[in-house]
Amino acid sequence: MNEFDPLTFLAVFEEMMGPLLWILIALAVVATLAFVVLLVREHGIVTRRLFVSEILGLFGGVLALVLMAKVSSSGFTDAGGPADWFLIGLVYGAGLIGTVIVVYAVLGWLAPGRRSTA
Amino acid sequence: MPIVSEKVRMLFEERKIKVRYDLVLESIDLGRRVATFKTPTGAVETGYDFINVIPPMRAPDAVRNSPLPWQDGPWKSDGWIEVNRDNLRHKRFNNVFAIGDVAGVPKGKTAASVKWQVPVVVDHLVASLAGKESASVYGGYTSCPLITRLGRAMLVEFDYKDNLVPSFPGVIAPLAELWVTWVMKTMALKPTYLSMLRGRA
Ligand SMILES: Cc1cc2nc3c(=O)[nH]c(=O)nc-3n(C[C@H](O)[C@H](O)[C@H](O)COP(=O)(O)OP(=O)(O)OC[C@H]3O[C@@H](n4cnc5c(N)ncnc54)[C@H](O)[C@@H]3O)c2cc1C
């Protein structure tokens, strides 16, 4: 490509996903905020909740890969080089971290007496 | 593009795909499923199950029947516009530029080339309006996501000199069949071209 302009990337992703892009960005921002607020209120991580989130995160990563395979009409068995493994790692990582943050935040805000645990 | 041609030759050989050059399609008998080719040694008839015909490409009539095309040389008969390959300015009409497929330059009949050509032409137009000269040069960049099978492609980018000019050196090797290139081709290219048309990319 000629030059890397973040606005170009935004334009391309908007063209690719339409309103879904903004919904996903909003979800990521809200979940991250909810996660950070929980950390502050509870003075740290709740280990048990994090464990549950991480277990679900493992599946979140798989789900991200399945989605990716579906929308790209292909699969990771098509991987042919390091750049491919990197992309697979990236997609899995994004699915995993995203799921962990969302699940942790949801569980934290739903849990009764969340402020007593620490 | 010699280096890519060699790579493709190797892929064909690996997959036991037979290749025959110097065949120009002359006529086709749809009923009998027979194609007739002109070859250096005379006409050859070949049966087929599936045929993919790529028509000869030439400039549209409005351009071909104008004074704009090359008056001699290899592009005369196709009617591509006679421009300087470096700045895309018409060789005879100083106030005319050509970008895209219609430009008579040795490489660059892709949308990716247009992306490289536009800034050069804009630079020259703006400089001309200001009574100045621009040093902006189009080097012949073109790009072709070459699908080699379902799920994999090679991101081939090159210039006038037949040099490979990879956009992601060290990450996406130009002659490697990669899934990431397929993903780019299937998911990102169309949105990229559409945003180009909207003037956002
Ligand atoms: C099968 C295929 C796959 C391709 N894949 C890629 C790819 O992956 N990446 C890439 O970068 N490029 C690709 N290309 C090349 C790319 O599509 C062209 O280089 C690009 O579209 C050229 O743009 P253009 O505006 O110069 O010409 P065009 O897109 O051909 O536009 C010319 C326009 O002028 C109009 N026109 C003609 N005569 C007149 C007239 N008298 N009055 C008014 N309008 C007229 C035509 O209808 C047309 O709309 C591909 C091309 C093909 C055929």
Side-chain angles (χ1 to χ4, degrees):
Chain A
M1 294 285 125
N2 215 341
E3 74 276 329
F4 289 98
D5 179 352
L7 279 178
T8 304
F9 271 98
L10 185 68
V12 170
F13 275 100
E14 226 189 313
E15 194 70 50
M16 199 189 299
M17 310 207 277
L20 184 64
L21 174 69
W22 297 109
I23 295 173
L24 282 179
I25 290 177
L27 180 70
V29 169
V30 168
T32 309
L33 272 179
F35 179 76
V36 170
V37 170
L38 271 184
L39 284 189
V40 172
R41 289 175 92 162
E42 299 172 342
H43 309 293
I45 286 267
V46 179
T47 319
R48 246 177 67 90
R49 197 190 302 146
L50 181 69
F51 182 70
V52 174
S53 315
E54 281 174 342
I55 295 288
L56 285 172
L58 295 179
F59 293 102
V62 173
L63 186 70
L65 280 178
V66 170
L67 261 176
M68 183 72 186
K70 201 136 187 79
V71 293
S72 69
S73 325
S74 60
F76 357 96
T77 48
D78 293 314
D84 294 347
W85 298 112
F86 181 71
L87 180 62
I88 290 170
L90 214 65
V91 172
Y92 186 85
L96 184 137
I97 294 170
T99 310
V100 169
I101 290 178
V102 169
V103 171
Y104 188 92
V106 168
L107 288 181
W109 285 91
L110 289 184
R114 58 181 174 264
R115 257 150 294 182
S116 58
T117 37
Chain B
M1 179 55 195
I3 195 169
V4 180
S5 171
E6 269 307 285
K7 171 72 188 183
V8 171
R9 182 191 62 76
M10 283 158 67
L11 286 177
F12 282 154
E13 195 177 292
E14 212 177 275
R15 292 169 200 182
K16 304 200 169 28
I17 296 168
K18 275 193 260 167
V19 184
R20 284 189 283 166
Y21 295 102
D22 286 328
L23 271 69
V24 180
L25 185 67
E26 289 241 286
S27 63
I28 190 160
D29 186 333
L30 294 174
R32 284 168 55 226
R33 292 192 177 209
V34 170
T36 309
F37 296 94
K38 193 170 75 186
T39 77
T41 54
V44 168
E45 284 202 339
T46 309
Y48 66 85
D49 297 316
F50 172 83
I51 190 162
N52 180 28
V53 178
I54 294 155
M57 288 173 221
R58 58 176 67 98
D61 288 343
V63 172
R64 269 197 310 153
N65 301 330
S66 78
L68 294 173
W70 283 87
Q71 305 296 300
D72 46 47
W75 299 305
K76 182 178 176 232
S77 57
D78 298 328
W80 307 120
I81 296 182
E82 182 177 2
V83 291
N84 177 313
R85 60 185 247 171
D86 298 323
N87 59 23
L88 305 165
R89 187 190 285 268
H90 202 285
K91 291 200 165 194
R92 288 171 284 121
F93 306 103
N94 211 28
N95 57 346
V96 173
F97 289 85
I99 55 167
D101 285 4
V102 86
V105 294
K107 294 243 157 56
K109 298 233 181 301
T110 65
S113 304
V114 175
K115 172 90 174 122
W116 260 251
Q117 292 169 343
V118 168
V120 173
V121 168
V122 167
D123 225 43
H124 283 274
L125 279 174
V126 170
S128 284
L129 289 175
K132 293 192 207 136
E133 291 280 311
S134 159
S136 229
V137 165
Y138 168 63
Y141 175 89
T142 193
S143 153
C144 154
L146 208 161
I147 293 173
T148 53
R149 49 167 251 201
L150 285 179
R152 272 194 204 168
M154 306 194 296
L155 186 60
V156 179
E157 298 165 282
F158 52 97
D159 63 12
Y160 282 145
K161 294 192 274 187
D162 282 340
N163 288 333
L164 291 170
V165 284
S167 287
F168 313 96
V171 183
I172 300 186
L175 299 178
E177 295 176 80
L178 295 173
W179 176 60
V180 58
T181 309
W182 165 273
V183 168
M184 217 150 76
K185 163 78 190 168
T186 51
M187 296 176 65
L189 282 190
K190 191 172 167 191
T192 304
Y193 301 141
L194 288 177
S195 5
M196 258 169 72
L197 291 176
R198 293 190 210 286
R200 298 188 62 200

